[in-house]
Amino acid sequence: MEINTKYKEVDREPFNDPTLYRKLVGSLVYLTMTRPNISYAVQVLSQFVVNPYRIHHTALLRVIRYVRGSMIQGVLFRSDSSIHLEGYIDADWAGCPNSRRSVTEAEYRAISAASSEIVCL
């Protein structure tokens, strides 16, 4: 998603195929189970499934391009190196521009996924 862009419920031009938007967002929601790094973007875009606008669809396509471009990336742990794991969490206080509420769903899911990964490692 673009940095410092605030997505609103009503924007300039409505998207002409809301069903396609819903299907794509639904697919990305399913994908967040294995890709928690896109959870925040998907959570923001899922707020507009009832009435998507062109700017929301453009942001959705950016997320899909990011997923396509990062499919082969991963983390390599060598067997001869010592592993020191650290976890960081970013808090979002009153980040929703429409309701001024905190966006916590993506953070909780990311914490859960990171904790599970650390326990497995």
Side-chain angles (χ1 to χ4, degrees):
M1 297 184 68
E2 291 185 35
I3 298 172
N4 297 326
T5 299
K6 300 292 183 186
Y7 296 97
K8 302 174 187 170
E9 291 180 17
V10 178
D11 212 322
R12 295 180 209 120
E13 182 181 347
F15 184 58
N16 58 0
D17 191 1
T19 305
L20 174 64
Y21 183 85
R22 290 182 193 108
K23 287 180 182 179
L24 292 173
V25 168
S27 298
L28 287 177
V29 167
Y30 181 74
L31 186 62
T32 60
M33 296 300 175
T34 58
R35 300 285 302 263
N37 56 334
I38 64 169
S39 292
Y40 176 76
V42 173
Q43 187 269 334
V44 168
L45 295 173
S46 68
Q47 295 176 7
F48 307 106
V49 293
V50 174
N51 192 18
Y53 281 77
R54 174 80 48 201
I55 191 169
H56 305 135
H57 181 254
T58 303
L60 181 68
L61 293 179
R62 286 179 65 100
V63 173
I64 292 172
R65 281 193 299 270
Y66 168 77
V67 170
R68 285 186 62 198
S70 64
M71 285 193 306
I72 61 170
Q73 294 179 350
V75 178
L76 174 65
F77 294 109
R78 296 179 182 244
S79 61
D80 60 343
S81 66
S82 63
I83 297 177
H84 177 72
L85 298 176
E86 293 183 16
Y88 297 93
I89 299 169
D90 181 23
D92 184 23
W93 184 257
C96 180
N98 299 321
S99 66
R100 298 303 299 159
R101 293 184 180 167
S102 298
V103 181
T104 57
E105 178 188 351
E107 293 170 359
Y108 285 138
R109 291 179 73 181
I111 291 169
S112 174
S115 299
S116 298
E117 289 292 322
I118 290 172
V119 169
C120 288
L121 292 173

